[in-house]
Amino acid sequence: MHPCGGDKMSGCCGNKTNCEKSTIKAEKGEIKVAIVGQPNVGKSSIINALSNAKLHVGNFSGVTVEKKEVYVKKNGYDVLMTDLPGIYAFNAYTPEEQVAKDFLIKEDCDVIVNVVDANTLSRNLIFTLQLLDMHKKMILVINMVDEIEKRDGKINKKRIEKLLGVPVILTSAKQNRGVDEIIDCIIDTYNAHIVKNKIYYNEKIEQRIEDLAKILQKSQHFRDKDYSRFIAIRLLDRDENIYKIIHDLPIFIEAHKALEKMYAKLEAEFDEDSTTDILANERVAIARNLQMEAIDVKEEEESLSEKIDNFLIHPILGLPIFLFFMWALFQLTFVLGNYPMNVISSIFSETSAFLADLLPKGVFNSVLTDGILPAVGAIVMFLPNILVLFLGLNLLEQTGYMSRAAYLMDGFMKRFGLQGKAFVPLVSGFGCTVPAYMAARTLKNPKDRIITMLVLGFMSCGARLPIYVLLVSAFFTNENPGNILFFIYIGGAILGLIVAKILRTVLFRGEPEPFVMEIPPYRFPSFKALGMDLWIKTKMFLKKAGSFIAIAAMIIWFLSAYPANDDMVQKYNAKIEQTSSVQQKEQLKNDLNSKLLENSYLGSVGKFIEPVFAPLGMDWRLSVAVVAGLSAKEVVVSTLGTLYSMGGVNETNKGLIEKIRANVDFKAAIALIIIIMIYSPCLAAMGTFYAEVPQWAWRVFYTIYPNVVAWLMAFGAYKTLALMGY
Amino acid sequence: MKNISDLKIDEEAIVAKMIAKEPVKGRLLSMGIVKGAKIKVVAHTLARQTWDILSDNTKVALREEEARCILVEETK
Ligand SMILES: Nc1nc2c(ncn2[C@@H]2O[C@H](COP(=O)(O)OP(=O)(O)O)[C@@H](O)[C@H]2O)c(=O)[nH]1
């Protein structure tokens, strides 16, 4: 009898005496649970469907893989569930899978909840069998039963319970069926005394497992019989992580010798290349058998999914359709995101005006209302764009289209040393680099991910648009400015791909990474899941960008406001008092501001860095604007405005355009555009990169190389134009 | 022996041998592409560089290189 098998799901086992015997842990307390399953089986959906659950999102220690913890209180127990990243099998392949595997092996959890997809049961069960080797308390959750029912199929739950020896729960996260039974079953399983699950392999394999386990038991680490059996199986499966664990133990030599012999013997006996294959074949056979016995469903004819795919991944039509979707997403991000932009922007400016009057005058007032609030506002202003982009990307991901896009783009991206999947973050980079870095998480291969993140900055983000608009309107009066803009964006993207190719050949040499990826069936997205995800992303984004931008803004503000120059302020104020003409007053105020700025720390920095930019024909003002743009790209235009004595202008202001045209040489303007296109993105983006990439070498490289490339390209363009006589 | 990249769209076959190396082999296995499995080519891109294979209710995208490592025989 299973702890929570039978028809009564919530109670313990039906048989009273049996139940009492099995309850050894009378004390209530915390139950640690690992939720594990292959990708796309519906784990997140199940967690979202749990009632009374508290969700906490963080990172697994040391890595940026998202860690979701769910906490449920029931019948006096605290059930703490960790949602592990999707993992196909114990022979971990991607960094995320490695995280899940390490957790399963190293953390001491009380109950394992294995979620599987009823539609692809036999393939899922292969991994379930590997989990059963651990011989821990386990529950099998078979999700998506609604889809089996839709095909008039039946799942024989009791049969699976009997064959595997673990309680089984049938759920449909979509219809919210059976989900809450999981918690009851966890509690019952936790309290149950016996662990029944045990999978037996072929006689010859079992013999080896036993022999090896006996050797292992000589070490105090493996005294536990179940544990030594698990380790023995993993070793026979040629699991390198486990091999490393025993490598430093005194029994290593004996175990190693025995293993080598066993490998050779078994491989000869089964006529296979590797014991891994032998165990795999065993598991496949058991899993197929289980599926045949437990599920009765007729094979699908052409499913709806396949009909849609006939069109969407058509050899000829597929690519244009995909490009259209991407274009539409890009448009929506800008168009929909722009509506709330003005509202947010005015909320921030009103608030800071209000606070400026309310608070006593002084440094605190200025730093808050001139420095921090406008800068934080500038970032929050883009939140709507970012949410639209995220929603779009989530929709693509949730419906299953994203993997089709990766499939379609793979051939093209391969020529540039990237994977099909990399296209998605690259496209989101046109909106904002910050979420694009996060989107790069979908790239499993660490090399691909680093390359993609290193070239993401070349995709000009939305915040750079005002700078381009300003410069293009100033210098390209004859040409169609829209075309020039398009050229700038496309140019950046092409450059990014070329740099990716160079990085791949120079720094990441070697075989191209294999591309093997599951394409899940199309599914109607769950709005609750979409909402939850957006909410979590919003919170994390606001927290990260808010703290980062606030600090950066404070630094910039102090640099531009100090040292205080009271003499000059008094002199100018006296002059302003004397003149009666409004125009002259304005002029004087602007002169004062630009004098103050020139003498501020920022001004000194500008003078100091001027020599770097001088070969590009850029003066200290452009230099400061470029450097200030490192805090946020919006700052470039506002800084230029101040520096050219225009205080508080925006890019559509005719005056600034004319001033720029008058003061900046055409060659220098082109150099400036190139710099803006290529050099480091804003601080928020850089902070995100640092958070996502833990290796210092890459952080340093990332911080330096775009600026070097930008300078060289700008210099080349400047000199070429000079030769052409501009 | 034929491999997957020799097949046409909608053609079915049985996996006869996997000559892929680890870790790709393990990956294919955990997606249901194993010796004896029935597979069907769902689609390939115009240049036949990337393939979409159906096996055991699961669709898997592969590159040509990987497709060549899966030897197949005709369905009976
Ligand atoms: N029909 C059906 N779809 C489901 C069910 N559970 C999840 N899904 C869908 O399956 C897809 C993958 O689910 P998700 O929770 O993201 O999977 P995860 O990768 O395991 O976290 C989503 O589109 C869900 O809406 C279910 O019980 N029935």
Side-chain angles (χ1 to χ4, degrees):
Chain A
M1 180 64 75
H2 305 295
C4 38
D7 295 317
K8 277 201 290 172
M9 291 304 304
S10 47
C12 193
C13 31
N15 182 325
K16 197 114 210 283
T17 41
N18 200 349
C19 192
E20 269 157 29
K21 232 192 288 172
S22 69
T23 312
I24 50 156
K25 287 183 187 162
E27 244 181 60
K28 302 187 169 186
E30 193 185 70
I31 309 177
K32 274 186 258 160
V33 179
I35 305 183
V36 49
Q38 297 194 337
N40 302 313
V41 294
K43 269 187 319 122
S44 325
S45 311
I46 286 182
I47 286 171
N48 291 340
L50 278 172
S51 38
N52 300 323
K54 284 198 196 106
L55 190 68
H56 173 258
V57 179
N59 279 341
F60 283 95
S61 58
V63 277
T64 52
V65 175
E66 207 172 71
K67 178 183 188 177
K68 265 197 220 154
E69 282 176 329
V70 197
Y71 170 82
V72 178
K73 219 175 166 72
K74 193 157 188 179
N75 301 342
Y77 290 96
D78 296 332
V79 183
L80 180 71
M81 291 172 277
T82 306
D83 179 20
L84 299 182
I87 169 170
Y88 280 104
F90 257 140
N91 28 341
Y93 183 80
T94 69
E96 278 191 341
E97 289 185 88
Q98 189 64 49
V99 169
K101 178 179 177 181
D102 287 347
F103 190 93
L104 282 170
I105 290 176
K106 290 181 189 146
E107 302 285 322
D108 195 26
C109 47
D110 301 310
V111 179
I112 295 175
V113 174
N114 177 210
V115 184
V116 297
D117 173 357
N119 296 300
T120 56
L121 195 64
S122 74
R123 149 175 91 87
N124 274 259
L125 281 175
I126 298 177
F127 178 49
T128 304
L129 294 173
Q130 291 189 327
L131 286 172
L132 284 172
D133 287 341
M134 293 183 80
H135 214 219
K136 281 203 175 179
K137 289 177 178 169
M138 189 166 134
I139 297 169
L140 185 68
V141 174
I142 303 183
N143 191 32
M144 309 216 187
V145 287
D146 57 305
E147 295 195 343
I148 296 291
E149 285 160 7
K150 220 165 48 195
R151 282 155 57 198
D152 288 329
K154 265 212 193 79
I155 303 177
N156 190 339
K157 180 177 113 137
K158 290 224 176 94
R159 189 87 194 121
I160 308 179
E161 288 186 330
K162 180 132 188 270
L163 290 169
L164 288 179
V166 295
V168 172
I169 301 179
L170 305 182
T171 63
S172 162
K174 189 179 167 188
Q175 300 173 348
N176 210 341
R177 277 165 48 198
V179 174
D180 285 323
E181 284 168 25
I182 297 173
I183 302 292
D184 296 317
C185 193
I186 287 172
I187 296 174
D188 290 345
T189 308
Y190 174 74
N191 285 321
H193 174 42
I194 358 142
V195 186
K196 281 222 190 121
N197 59 52
K198 199 155 195 183
I199 290 301
Y200 290 101
Y201 296 100
N202 177 300
E203 199 74 30
K204 289 176 191 149
I205 305 173
E206 280 298 329
Q207 188 58 49
R208 269 40 176 245
I209 295 174
E210 209 170 294
D211 293 348
L212 193 55
K214 279 208 185 103
I215 298 174
L216 290 171
Q217 279 160 24
K218 290 181 191 165
S219 162
Q220 57 177 21
H221 289 82
F222 307 114
R223 284 285 143 77
D224 183 72
K225 265 199 171 160
D226 293 331
Y227 188 52
S228 61
R229 177 182 157 88
F230 171 61
I231 296 294
I233 297 174
R234 294 309 314 145
L235 286 172
L236 283 174
D237 213 340
R238 295 181 183 265
D239 186 321
E240 284 176 24
N241 300 99
I242 302 290
Y243 191 78
K244 276 191 201 122
I245 295 181
I246 69 155
H247 192 269
D248 302 322
L249 300 177
I251 48 146
F252 173 69
I253 299 190
E254 191 185 352
H256 177 76
K257 269 193 195 144
L259 255 181
E260 287 298 316
K261 253 193 226 146
M262 288 177 187
Y263 287 152
K265 272 260 176 65
L266 280 171
E267 280 155 16
E269 279 168 8
F270 284 83
D271 190 24
E272 285 284 353
D273 300 339
S274 153
T275 46
T276 312
D277 294 352
I278 301 173
L279 279 166
N281 290 340
E282 283 281 301
R283 294 194 184 105
V284 168
I286 299 174
R288 277 205 188 130
N289 215 13
L290 267 166
Q291 153 131 344
M292 289 231 293
E293 291 214 23
I295 292 203
D296 177 23
V297 65
K298 51 181 189 317
E299 244 187 79
E300 271 183 295
E301 310 115 46
E302 189 163 73
S303 61
L304 181 64
S305 196
E306 269 176 74
K307 279 187 200 132
I308 300 174
D309 264 349
N310 282 342
F311 183 58
L312 288 188
I313 59 170
H314 187 273
I316 296 165
L317 292 177
L319 215 55
I321 294 175
F322 166 64
L323 290 175
F324 170 77
F325 279 149
M326 281 339 265
W327 176 84
L329 173 63
F330 188 39
Q331 290 290 323
L332 279 180
T333 301
F334 276 115
V335 176
L336 287 184
N338 263 336
Y339 288 112
M341 222 175 196
N342 291 333
V343 181
I344 297 177
S345 162
S346 62
I347 288 175
F348 269 89
S349 53
E350 307 264 302
T351 312
S352 58
F354 175 71
L355 285 179
D357 288 339
L358 187 74
L359 296 171
K361 289 259 174 293
V363 178
F364 177 72
N365 186 328
S366 305
V367 105
L368 187 70
T369 59
D370 290 344
I372 296 175
L373 275 178
V376 172
I379 265 291
V380 176
M381 205 163 77
F382 291 101
L383 185 64
N385 300 67
I386 289 161
L387 287 186
V388 174
L389 190 68
F390 263 136
L391 184 68
L393 293 174
N394 272 353
L395 264 177
L396 292 182
E397 181 87 51
Q398 286 249 327
T399 51
Y401 184 72
M402 197 77 105
S403 38
R404 269 98 184 158
Y407 158 84
L408 288 167
M409 285 307 293
D410 180 63
F412 178 75
M413 300 296 281
K414 191 181 159 195
R415 286 185 211 158
F416 294 97
L418 285 174
Q419 272 224 355
K421 278 195 150 183
F423 195 74
V424 179
L426 289 180
V427 169
S428 9
F430 285 130
C432 174
T433 318
V434 174
Y437 281 146
M438 295 189 198
R441 278 183 196 158
T442 53
L443 296 174
K444 306 297 186 198
N445 182 293
K447 279 184 189 175
D448 287 11
R449 194 170 150 201
I450 286 272
I451 294 183
T452 308
M453 291 183 72
L454 284 173
V455 301
L456 246 170
F458 296 117
M459 312 294 134
S460 282
C461 69
R464 298 185 210 193
L465 190 66
I467 316 170
Y468 298 143
V469 172
L470 176 70
L471 291 170
V472 168
S473 346
F475 293 98
F476 294 91
T477 36
N478 299 328
E479 296 84 355
N480 177 343
N483 287 346
I484 304 282
L485 271 181
F486 182 71
F487 183 76
I488 291 174
Y489 273 80
I490 290 297
I494 291 172
L495 186 70
L497 288 177
I498 293 171
V499 171
K501 178 80 191 163
I502 295 171
L503 287 174
R504 177 59 96 187
T505 31
V506 178
L507 291 175
F508 295 95
R509 238 174 309 172
E511 288 283 296
E513 283 305 318
F515 176 70
V516 178
M517 184 190 67
E518 185 187 346
I519 301 187
Y522 288 110
R523 290 225 165 79
F524 204 77
S526 128
F527 293 105
K528 194 177 171 195
L530 283 177
M532 283 277 262
D533 209 60
L534 275 192
W535 173 235
I536 291 170
K537 290 258 157 62
T538 308
K539 267 201 317 207
M540 290 197 18
F541 174 84
L542 284 181
K543 241 196 223 160
K544 223 185 226 171
S547 55
F548 224 96
I549 276 291
I551 292 168
M554 232 161 74
I555 295 169
I556 288 281
W557 184 86
F558 273 108
L559 287 179
S560 59
Y562 286 91
N565 201 330
D566 293 334
D567 290 351
M568 202 191 305
V569 175
Q570 269 162 18
K571 230 167 57 196
Y572 268 89
N573 277 346
K575 271 198 216 163
I576 292 173
E577 291 283 304
Q578 280 159 16
T579 52
S580 52
S581 131
V582 179
Q583 221 181 342
Q584 239 170 4
K585 273 188 203 258
E586 274 300 301
Q587 183 63 42
L588 281 169
K589 264 190 207 154
N590 285 333
D591 281 353
L592 169 65
N593 282 339
S594 72
K595 273 272 158 51
L596 281 176
L597 200 62
E598 200 171 337
N599 287 306
S600 70
Y601 290 120
L602 200 65
S604 324
V605 171
K607 292 273 188 225
F608 179 73
I609 55 175
E610 199 178 2
V612 177
F613 292 93
L616 315 177
M618 289 158 65
D619 65 2
W620 80 267
R621 289 178 247 236
L622 292 182
S623 316
V624 163
V626 165
V627 174
L630 288 174
S631 67
K633 293 290 169 280
E634 300 83 359
V635 178
V636 175
V637 169
S638 61
T639 310
L640 281 177
T642 326
L643 291 178
Y644 286 101
S645 297
M646 296 295 303
V649 274
N650 62 36
E651 70 273 18
T652 51
N653 191 305
K654 268 272 165 353
L656 180 60
I657 293 177
E658 257 129 46
K659 283 259 175 174
I660 296 270
R661 193 183 294 141
N663 285 294
V664 181
D665 146 56
F666 175 71
K667 301 191 290 290
I670 296 295
L672 180 60
I673 290 179
I674 292 175
I675 294 262
I676 299 290
M677 274 169 73
I678 305 174
Y679 84 135
S680 286
C682 64
L683 276 183
M686 286 194 266
T688 312
F689 184 96
Y690 296 148
E692 298 281 317
V693 179
Q695 300 93 335
W696 272 105
W698 287 123
R699 289 178 175 177
V700 172
F701 179 73
Y702 163 80
T703 314
I704 295 171
Y705 101 93
N707 301 307
V708 175
V709 175
W711 193 92
L712 290 175
M713 300 274 291
F715 183 71
Y718 184 80
K719 284 291 169 209
T720 313
L721 286 173
L723 280 178
M724 286 161 66
Y726 277 98
Chain B
M1 201 181 259
K2 268 190 177 179
N3 64 54
I4 284 189
S5 75
D6 298 323
L7 301 178
K8 287 195 271 301
I9 290 184
D10 279 343
E11 203 172 325
E12 293 187 355
I14 304 273
V15 176
K17 195 172 165 60
M18 308 267 287
I19 51 174
K21 287 201 193 68
E22 293 294 349
V24 175
K25 191 173 181 177
R27 173 87 335 182
L28 290 169
L29 172 114
S30 54
M31 292 184 178
I33 301 183
V34 280
K35 199 161 84 178
K38 197 168 98 178
I39 56 112
K40 178 179 155 189
V41 175
V42 180
H44 57 67
T45 53
L46 200 54
R48 300 170 77 89
Q49 269 183 331
T50 321
W51 292 69
D52 182 1
I53 309 298
L54 179 73
S55 156
D56 186 18
N57 258 326
T58 307
K59 279 188 202 158
V60 181
L62 309 168
R63 276 189 180 158
E64 198 188 356
E65 291 85 339
E66 278 79 51
R68 276 211 215 98
C69 295
I70 304 169
L71 304 184
V72 293
E73 54 195 21
E74 267 157 54
T75 44
K76 277 146 243 154

